[in-house]
Amino acid sequence: MPSVFRVRKLNALQRLEAYDLIHKGYRHKDLAKKYGVSRARITQIANATAKQLQIWMQQAELPPLLEEE
């Protein structure tokens, strides 16, 4: 099993954005160039499981706003 702490250059928000663009029809080659990663990494993002997507969504969430008093 791969390490949870392995850095792969893209943050969770970028991975979700790339995932959406892949499924809108953008080519892996173009996205790899845009994000500065390999086509193989883009393919891994395209083949993400529902569990991986859920983890990325949790990681991409912004902290809650502070309530004004």
Side-chain angles (χ1 to χ4, degrees):
M1 176 175 231
S3 171
V4 176
F5 302 104
R6 183 173 177 181
V7 177
R8 294 198 174 181
K9 201 169 184 179
L10 297 178
N11 62 36
L13 190 59
Q14 290 171 319
R15 286 179 284 204
L16 289 170
E17 181 181 290
Y19 184 84
D20 288 339
L21 291 174
I22 289 164
H23 292 283
K24 287 182 181 178
Y26 284 81
R27 296 184 315 165
H28 291 205
K29 179 181 176 181
D30 296 332
L31 291 174
K33 187 174 181 181
K34 175 182 177 178
Y35 290 108
V37 295
S38 67
R39 288 191 322 198
R41 181 65 185 130
I42 296 295
T43 300
Q44 288 176 340
I45 292 170
N47 295 331
T49 63
K51 185 177 179 181
Q52 288 171 317
L53 290 173
Q54 186 67 28
I55 290 169
W56 295 343
M57 283 193 238
Q58 290 172 351
Q59 291 174 346
E61 283 189 30
L62 298 174
L65 295 174
L66 298 175
E67 293 182 20
E68 293 185 28
E69 296 179 26

